[in-house]
């Protein structure tokens, strides 16, 4: 699944152009698992279901595929070798669980394709599987993923050592790309960028940061500085924002455009506030699906080409996003996708 001589960001731009000018990401995962009855009160969070209820993980992937998602993200956000080992798993078993997260997503993709059979024009592009990598703070499960404050003892080398083997395993898992998600500070972004280059990771990645003020990432680091780190890494094919209230997204898109020409992805949360101490969402602060989707054309017009949802968004949200974007592109027919870079071709 090599890149050939073309930069990943150029290939993604071409992919987006041929697919009609946009691609739809999936939505919130943990809350959907909970809706199906999963108990996620655990440091592993949604990754716990890789152990005790993988059928629910597959069901949620299928829900999003049926809703119109072009890219599904694996349930590995909080899946770390260190986290599994803390639960008593061996290193080999922990790595197998990482691989399982991708295997489940690929199986869901296969099932979806089999279910639609020979219907034509159902998809404008192949479905991609993005292997999720959450931050160091997500592993700590102490709320630091929401402020990026890891303390002075955590330096660049610490983060690289923590993430290295996980990234290597996911790079060889059969995923189409790696999604570095909810990045809270520029130090962790730098760690990811250096790992991709040092370890010669063979699949592309995207970097997605999180903000609570629409100006900086949650640590207070400049979004411009963070986006510049992503822009400087040739193996990064897109840069963007996730797990951020919808009201901040438009301004963040404009800021990111000042630092990169790579495709911009955005998948905001519902706008609700998460209390890291009680581990509960404050529901009154959210927006409805109707209000959320009302932003979509504005985001696309501003320059975002990969659009989905994060925490507390649902398959209904993604279905509405897909319909909204398809209406906007109806006047400009997409080119048939007959020849894609090898990593975008469905591997069964």
């Amino acid at each position: 699944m090599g890149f050939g001589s073309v930069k990943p960001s150029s290939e993604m731009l071409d992919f987006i152009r041929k697919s009609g000018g946009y691609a739809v990401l999936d939505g919130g995962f943990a809350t959907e698992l909970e809706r199906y009855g999963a108990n996620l009160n655990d440091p592993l969070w949604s990754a716990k279901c890789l152990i005790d209820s993988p059928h629910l993980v597959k069901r949620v992937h299928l829900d999003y595929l049926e809703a119109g998602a072009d890219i599904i993200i694996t349930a590995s956000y909080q899946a770390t070798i260190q986290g599994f080992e803390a639960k008593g798993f061996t290193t080999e078993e922990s790595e197998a669980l990482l691989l399982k997260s991708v295997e489940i997503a690929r199986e869901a993709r296969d099932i979806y394709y089999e279910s639609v059979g020979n219907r034509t024009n159902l998809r404008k592009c192949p479905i991609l599987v993005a292997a999720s990598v959450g931050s160091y703070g997500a592993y700590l499960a102490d709320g630091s993923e929401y402020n990026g404050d890891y303390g002075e003892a955590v330096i660049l080398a610490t983060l690289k050592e923590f993430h290295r083997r996980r990234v290597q395993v996911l790079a060889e898992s059969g995923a189409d790309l790696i999604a570095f998600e909810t990045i809270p500070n520029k130090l962790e972004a730098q760690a990811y960028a250096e790992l991709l280059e040092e370890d010669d990771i063979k699949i592309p990645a995207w970097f997605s940061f999180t903000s609570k003020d629409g100006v900086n990432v949650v640590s207070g680091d400049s979004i411009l500085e963070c986006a510049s780190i992503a822009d400087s890494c040739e193996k990064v094919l897109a840069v963007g924002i996730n797990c951020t209230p919808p009201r901040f997204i438009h301004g963040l898109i404009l800021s990111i455009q000042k630092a990169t020409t790579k495709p911009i992805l955005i998948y905001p949360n519902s706008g609700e506030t998460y209390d890291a101490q009680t581990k509960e969402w404050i529901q009154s602060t959210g927006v409805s699906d109707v209000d959320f989707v009302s932003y979509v054309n504005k985001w696309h017009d501003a320059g975002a080409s990969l659009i989905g949802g994060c925490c507390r968004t649902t398959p209904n949200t993604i279905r509405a996003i897909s319909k909204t974007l398809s209406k906007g592109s109806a006047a400009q027919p997409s080119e048939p996708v007959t020849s894609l870079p090898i990593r975008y071709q469905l591997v069964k």
Side-chain angles (χ1 to χ4, degrees), residues 39-48 51-52 78 83 87 138 141 279:
N39 180 1
L40 305 185
N41 185 19
D42 189 278
L44 292 177
W45 199 40
S46 56
K48 176 175 177 283
I51 302 166
D52 58 24
Q78 208 131 337
K87 289 287 187 179
K279 299 186 185 301

Side-chain angles (χ1 to χ4, degrees), residues 127-248:
I127 293 163
L128 305 183
V129 171
S132 173
V133 172
S135 69
Y136 179 67
Y139 155 71
L140 296 176
D142 62 356
S144 58
E145 66 188 298
Y146 299 106
N147 58 36
D149 183 5
Y150 298 157
E152 294 182 0
V154 176
I155 59 175
L156 183 66
T158 309
L159 295 175
K160 288 167 66 174
E161 181 62 25
F162 174 79
H163 288 294
R164 188 180 301 277
R165 183 56 188 158
R166 180 191 193 187
V167 171
Q168 291 171 342
V169 171
L170 291 173
E172 301 295 331
S173 66
D176 297 295
L177 57 101
I178 298 175
F180 292 103
E181 303 187 280
T182 323
I183 307 173
N185 55 46
K186 64 183 180 182
L187 183 68
E188 198 147 21
Q190 187 65 44
Y192 293 147
E194 292 187 14
L195 283 177
L196 289 172
E197 297 293 349
E198 290 173 4
D199 292 356
D200 192 23
I201 298 301
K202 298 299 185 184
I203 63 174
W206 78 46
F207 280 17
S208 184
F209 299 90
T210 183
S211 173
K212 58 187 175 185
D213 61 7
V215 178
N216 303 306
V217 299
V218 291
S219 66
D221 293 336
S222 163
I223 186 63
L224 286 172
E225 292 181 13
C226 291
S228 294
I229 291 170
D231 182 70
S232 69
C233 181
E234 288 194 356
K235 297 192 176 183
V236 173
L237 53 66
V239 186
I241 296 289
N242 75 293
C243 210
T244 295
R247 67 184 182 274
F248 294 138

Side-chain angles (χ1 to χ4, degrees), residues 26 34-35 47 65 91 105 122 131 144 207 216 240 245 257-258:
D26 63 11
E34 289 175 327
R35 187 169 66 84
L65 289 170
T91 300
L122 185 69
S144 58
F207 280 17
N216 303 306
Q257 285 178 326
K258 296 175 182 178

Side-chain angles (χ1 to χ4, degrees), residues 44-321:
L44 292 177
W45 199 40
S46 56
K48 176 175 177 283
C49 289
L50 296 173
I51 302 166
D52 58 24
S53 47
H55 63 289
L56 296 184
V57 176
K58 187 181 296 184
R59 180 64 261 171
V60 174
H61 283 316
L62 284 166
D63 287 347
Y64 280 118
L65 289 170
E66 290 162 2
D70 300 306
I71 303 176
I72 54 174
I73 304 172
T74 64
S76 54
Y77 175 81
Q78 208 131 337
T80 64
I81 294 170
Q82 297 88 337
F84 288 133
E85 288 178 338
K87 289 287 187 179
F89 292 93
T90 66
T91 300
E92 292 74 17
E93 290 170 337
S94 300
E95 292 181 3
L97 285 166
L98 284 174
L99 294 172
K100 186 175 183 178
S101 70
V102 176
E103 178 185 343
I104 294 170
R106 285 164 55 95
E107 287 175 355
R109 179 175 65 180
D110 289 348
I111 291 169
Y112 176 78
Y113 272 115
E114 290 170 5
S115 73
V116 299
N118 294 321
R119 280 186 279 167
T120 58
N121 298 322
L122 185 69
R123 291 287 183 183
K124 56 190 178 300
C125 56
I127 293 163
L128 305 183
V129 171
S132 173
V133 172
S135 69
Y136 179 67
Y139 155 71
L140 296 176
D142 62 356
S144 58
E145 66 188 298
Y146 299 106
N147 58 36
D149 183 5
Y150 298 157
E152 294 182 0
V154 176
I155 59 175
L156 183 66
T158 309
L159 295 175
K160 288 167 66 174
E161 181 62 25
F162 174 79
H163 288 294
R164 188 180 301 277
R165 183 56 188 158
R166 180 191 193 187
V167 171
Q168 291 171 342
V169 171
L170 291 173
E172 301 295 331
S173 66
D176 297 295
L177 57 101
I178 298 175
F180 292 103
E181 303 187 280
T182 323
I183 307 173
N185 55 46
K186 64 183 180 182
L187 183 68
E188 198 147 21
Q190 187 65 44
Y192 293 147
E194 292 187 14
L195 283 177
L196 289 172
E197 297 293 349
E198 290 173 4
D199 292 356
D200 192 23
I201 298 301
K202 298 299 185 184
I203 63 174
W206 78 46
F207 280 17
S208 184
F209 299 90
T210 183
S211 173
K212 58 187 175 185
D213 61 7
V215 178
N216 303 306
V217 299
V218 291
S219 66
D221 293 336
S222 163
I223 186 63
L224 286 172
E225 292 181 13
C226 291
S228 294
I229 291 170
D231 182 70
S232 69
C233 181
E234 288 194 356
K235 297 192 176 183
V236 173
L237 53 66
V239 186
I241 296 289
N242 75 293
C243 210
T244 295
R247 67 184 182 274
F248 294 138
I249 298 298
H250 184 262
L252 289 165
I253 293 170
L254 299 181
S255 295
I256 291 169
Q257 285 178 326
K258 296 175 182 178
T260 186
T261 58
K262 295 181 179 184
I264 294 176
L265 68 149
I266 55 103
Y267 46 120
N269 59 34
S270 66
E272 297 168 65
T273 301
Y274 183 73
D275 187 323
Q277 299 302 315
T278 64
K279 299 186 185 301
E280 294 179 346
W281 289 90
I282 303 172
Q283 297 188 24
S284 62
T285 61
V287 298
S288 68
D289 278 349
V290 173
D291 292 332
F292 186 100
V293 174
S294 70
Y295 288 99
V296 169
N297 283 329
K298 183 179 181 181
W299 294 334
H300 190 222
D301 291 343
S305 51
L306 300 107
I307 300 175
C310 198
C311 297
R312 307 286 284 185
T313 60
T314 70
N316 285 337
T317 315
I318 301 310
R319 185 173 290 107
I321 290 172

